[in-house]
Amino acid sequence: MTVLADLTTSPQVREAPSPQVLGAPSPQVFETTSPRVLEAGSTEVFETRESAVRSYCRAFPVLLSSAHGTTLVAEDGTEYVDFFSGAGALNYGHNHAHIKRQVVAHLEGDGLLHALDFHTAAKREFLERFGREVLEPRGLDHRVQFCGSTGTDAVEAALKLARKHTGRSQVIAFSGAYHGVSRGSLAATADLSLRKVAGMPLGEVTHLPFPVGPRGPFPTMDLLEQYLTDDLSGVELPAAVILEVVQMEGGVYRIPDADLRRLRALCDRYGIVLIADEIQAGCGRTGGFFSFEQAGVVPDLITVSKSIGGLGLPMSILLIREGLDSWAAGDHPGTFRGNQLAFVAACGALDLWQSQAFLDQARDGAELLRTFWETHPLPGVEIRAEGHAIGIDLTHAGGRRAADDVVAWCFERGLIVESTGRDKAVLKLLPALTMENDVLRYGCELIHEALRTALSR
Ligand code: PMP
């Protein structure tokens, strides 16, 4: 038996003996022996085995099995145009050929997959390129903290770091905001039904009205300035202000540039850490790479997740402005901070940002979306267009019932789009930045027809 000889001569073989040596089961054992396989399309096991917590699958009762570009394919072969993009995690579409090739090459080359926060070649490439291609051209001197793989962990890290750095505990967030559902981030999330589920008080965060919204506009920056200057305001000096520059779950509302600049100035004056949550609005979704770019402000901390992982692979980072990196080694650990495949895919996605064809498509697509909705007004319907995020607000035109009807009508005809915002009365269109113009136009026309049908009821 040659294996024994190999074990004595080759260190690699000693460290990784063949499965036979270890007595591992032969491949045949892995063949299914299950007596009953549910027929294609059956969703029975989800009803009987999966937790009641599942949600999107209730609005879209389909069993998906593959996807390419901007098309989702169900197990029974039905195709869906994707105007949802994994809630913003798929800005480059599904299985983008270029990104996928990098990932497959990494797998085939036995690249590391899991590495905690060890130094690795894949992470080095990501750090070098993200610094050179994304941060430096935008004048950002931030360091990168790799967080646990969800957006909510980057928000946890941001809030914790701001508190540690300032020695203060209070945080200001905004009505309409969504920052995640773990305890710290949930305290900053505004949705009362989600907060209730915590089952315990979520303190240390004061919510101010977002300057724009269905009940706005509000002179929020005046109010904040009052709080900060009035020694009888009752509001303690906060460690941080956290905001989504474009509130996405809140219904696609962008804070006016002047308000954001004023907020930056107030934070500077009072030593408050300004946190921009770019988890959904970033990675090109709302225009530039970051949603704050157009206002010309630099946030102190920036959370990035969702589409940073290129193919929808879990990845989450916190960008920390120079001088604010007050962590001690190991202050915010996490087993899955080193998803190497996501780093590889992230670099594949950075390649796209160097491609003129990608940039042209993204610019033209955003323009097409804006123009389409500007030129197809519907009575009582308000449109908010921010790059590849379109909010179609039905608050004053049928509300939630109409929005639900549109979602269901489109789904029946092979298009996936979701509703969000107060009482879920805002349709949120999130097509991939790579969606071709004819598909974008087709999708918009279908949604417009759905709106006309729903509003005529
Ligand atoms: N912040 C924002 C702005 C988000 O949109 C989300 C997710 N919708 C999160 C934080 C939380 O991210 P995750 O679901 O990955 O925890």
Side-chain angles (χ1 to χ4, degrees):
M1 170 113 174
T2 53
V3 171
L4 281 179
D6 286 344
L7 273 174
T8 54
T9 52
S10 156
Q12 286 96 319
V13 176
R14 193 192 303 273
E15 280 161 24
S18 74
Q20 285 87 340
V21 172
L22 293 175
S26 65
Q28 295 91 293
V29 175
F30 294 115
E31 277 175 14
T32 177
T33 51
S34 166
R36 192 176 76 110
V37 176
L38 294 174
E39 74 276 12
S42 170
T43 52
E44 188 188 315
V45 70
F46 305 105
E47 317 293 333
T48 56
R49 187 60 71 193
E50 196 181 355
S51 161
V53 79
R54 62 198 191 281
S55 60
Y56 288 119
C57 56
R58 297 180 194 267
F60 305 107
V62 59
L63 199 148
L64 298 168
S65 62
S66 66
H68 52 89
T70 54
T71 305
L72 290 156
V73 186
E75 200 176 31
D76 67 3
T78 311
E79 295 196 345
Y80 295 87
V81 180
D82 192 356
F83 263 62
F84 178 44
S85 300
L90 292 160
N91 285 2
Y92 314 107
H94 298 269
N95 287 311
H96 190 285
H98 171 75
I99 307 177
K100 193 171 70 176
R101 266 197 302 278
Q102 320 290 311
V103 166
V104 169
H106 186 80
L107 281 171
E108 290 195 330
D110 276 345
L112 277 168
L113 291 179
H114 178 274
L116 292 156
D117 69 350
F118 279 80
H119 291 163
T120 66
K123 193 202 266 193
R124 179 177 57 198
E125 186 179 350
F126 172 75
L127 277 172
E128 282 178 359
R129 292 197 49 195
F130 191 70
R132 199 171 56 235
E133 295 166 26
V134 176
L135 299 179
E136 286 163 23
R138 291 168 177 80
L140 303 174
D141 62 5
H142 296 55
R143 283 173 178 269
V144 179
Q145 176 186 352
F146 293 91
C147 301
S149 52
T150 59
T152 203
D153 193 55
V155 174
E156 290 291 338
L159 295 172
K160 226 195 249 186
L161 180 59
R163 287 176 169 131
K164 181 169 192 214
H165 186 78
T166 59
R168 302 191 288 264
S169 61
Q170 279 296 328
V171 166
I172 291 198
F174 293 95
S175 301
Y178 187 95
H179 297 294
V181 293
S182 56
R183 186 160 187 258
S185 64
L186 184 55
T189 291
D191 186 322
L192 295 177
S193 57
L194 286 176
R195 295 172 66 87
K196 200 171 163 201
V197 181
M200 64 197 302
L202 296 167
E204 313 297 326
V205 178
T206 303
H207 284 84
L208 296 182
F210 201 57
V212 282
R215 293 149 192 256
F218 295 103
T220 305
M221 296 308 138
D222 290 341
L223 188 64
L224 179 59
E225 188 159 4
Q226 279 301 315
Y227 275 160
L228 297 174
T229 49
D230 178 4
D231 60 348
L232 296 189
S233 71
V235 176
E236 286 160 32
L237 185 63
V241 175
I242 182 167
L243 86 159
E244 295 164 85
V245 171
V246 183
Q247 288 194 337
M248 299 290 280
E249 299 298 315
V252 193
Y253 283 102
R254 175 183 281 277
I255 188 172
D257 290 350
D259 281 322
L260 184 55
R261 286 196 280 268
R262 202 159 152 216
L263 179 59
R264 176 68 276 180
L266 285 171
C267 287
D268 283 342
R269 196 177 331 145
Y270 292 95
I272 301 165
V273 176
L274 180 60
I275 307 172
D277 181 343
E278 290 283 314
I279 288 168
Q280 193 168 156
C283 298
R285 172 56 62 188
T286 54
F289 193 91
F290 297 113
S291 64
F292 55 78
E293 282 172 35
Q294 70 172 55
V297 301
V298 175
D300 299 311
L301 301 178
I302 305 164
T303 55
V304 185
S305 184
K306 292 201 190 259
S307 284
I308 190 73
L311 283 178
L313 297 178
M315 178 170 169
S316 184
I317 56 180
L318 173 63
L319 306 178
I320 305 170
R321 199 173 190 175
E322 201 54 51
L324 272 171
D325 192 9
S326 305
W327 293 123
D331 263 355
H332 190 79
T335 306
F336 290 111
R337 287 169 297 157
N339 183 351
Q340 308 294 306
L341 265 194
F343 300 155
V344 171
C347 287
L350 290 180
D351 292 339
L352 299 187
W353 286 89
Q354 301 298 315
S355 144
Q356 198 53 49
F358 167 78
L359 296 174
D360 289 348
Q361 177 59 66
R363 187 204 52 229
D364 292 352
E367 187 51 33
L368 185 153
L369 284 164
R370 178 186 296 278
T371 313
F372 182 93
W373 291 102
E374 268 174 14
T375 55
H376 291 71
L378 290 157
V381 177
E382 199 181 303
I383 304 292
R384 293 183 287 278
E386 296 293 340
H388 276 73
I390 306 290
I392 302 177
D393 196 333
L394 304 181
T395 306
H396 305 294
R400 182 183 191 139
R401 186 195 52 75
D404 285 350
D405 284 355
V406 171
V407 170
W409 196 94
C410 288
F411 178 61
E412 278 163 28
R413 286 156 186 80
L415 183 142
I416 293 190
V417 64
E418 76 156 346
S419 59
T420 189
R422 269 94 175 169
D423 200 30
K424 295 258 183 281
V426 181
L427 295 163
K428 186 174 64 171
L429 280 49
L430 295 180
L433 276 61
T434 51
M435 188 177 273
E436 285 169 7
N437 289 355
D438 53 348
V439 186
L440 276 174
R441 202 171 297 109
Y442 165 80
C444 289
E445 274 162 7
L446 196 79
I447 294 165
H448 196 263
E449 194 184 339
L451 281 161
R452 289 198 311 274
T453 309
L455 298 179
S456 68
R457 286 208 194 120

